[in-house]
Amino acid sequence: MRSLVYVLAGLSLLLSGAIFGFFYAWVCSTMWGLDAADPVVAIEAMKAMNSSVRNMVFAPAFFGTSPLLLITALLAFFLGLRGPAAAFALAAVVYLIGGQVLTMSINVPMNEALAATAIPADADGARRVWQEYSQPWQYWNVVRTIASGVCLLLAGLGIALLGREESKRSRFG
């Protein structure tokens, strides 16, 4: 059972890092690149990216991170590893609220509204549509990036605490 908690902890860290990296890439390159592009191109590109992100490569990180962190927390708790359990449980809650719930309640509806929007033929109209979408979308993306970064840090803390617990057990029998 103890080796299972280490495997789950490692997988929890991996998925936490994957989702943090996904959101972070939008912050530091993707949206800046789209903002620098012609607004018509930016709108078309964002629509294409939003429709392509729902896939089996993305799904484990987006949907699996919170449940895996919670399972890791529960197993650690049942093994008497209270510190690691708390870190993994807190990571699960932070990502669930700041990553998944935020995405499903704010970013996804914005994406769906953009998908339903006809791209204006005039440059000013397209620029207005893009700015009204991009600025709030980026704000909320930064929030979910920070939340997923905190989640990643907490998963790392959970692993560090597992190592500390193991070190204590080996010293004190």
Side-chain angles (χ1 to χ4, degrees), residues 22-173:
F22 176 80
F23 292 144
Y24 179 70
W26 287 90
V27 169
C28 66
S29 63
T30 305
M31 292 306 288
W32 290 348
L34 292 175
D35 283 346
D38 177 274
V40 171
V41 171
I43 293 167
E44 289 173 347
M46 191 67 170
K47 286 181 176 187
M49 286 185 279
N50 287 337
S51 68
S52 73
V53 78
R54 296 176 185 172
N55 61 63
M56 293 309 295
V57 176
F58 174 70
F62 184 77
F63 294 108
T65 299
S66 291
L68 185 58
L69 285 162
L70 185 58
I71 291 166
T72 305
L74 290 172
L75 181 57
F77 181 81
F78 288 120
L79 291 172
L81 304 167
R82 303 290 195 255
F88 288 114
L90 186 55
V93 170
V94 166
Y95 175 66
L96 177 66
I97 295 168
Q100 285 180 288
V101 170
L102 187 150
T103 297
M104 299 306 289
S105 63
I106 297 175
N107 291 85
V108 168
M110 289 181 72
N111 295 344
E112 290 171 348
L114 184 68
T117 300
I119 300 173
D122 64 294
D124 287 338
R127 186 173 298 103
R128 189 171 40 261
V129 166
W130 179 249
Q131 287 174 344
E132 288 173 3
Y133 171 84
S134 177
Q135 291 173 356
W137 191 96
Q138 287 186 62
Y139 173 83
W140 290 110
N141 185 61
V142 168
V143 173
R144 66 186 184 171
T145 301
I146 291 168
S148 61
V150 170
C151 169
L152 177 59
L153 286 171
L154 288 166
L157 175 63
I159 289 176
L161 292 173
L162 278 174
R164 194 175 93 191
E165 292 289 330
E166 195 61 36
S167 174
K168 278 187 203 175
R169 289 182 194 267
S170 66
R171 276 188 286 162
F172 300 112

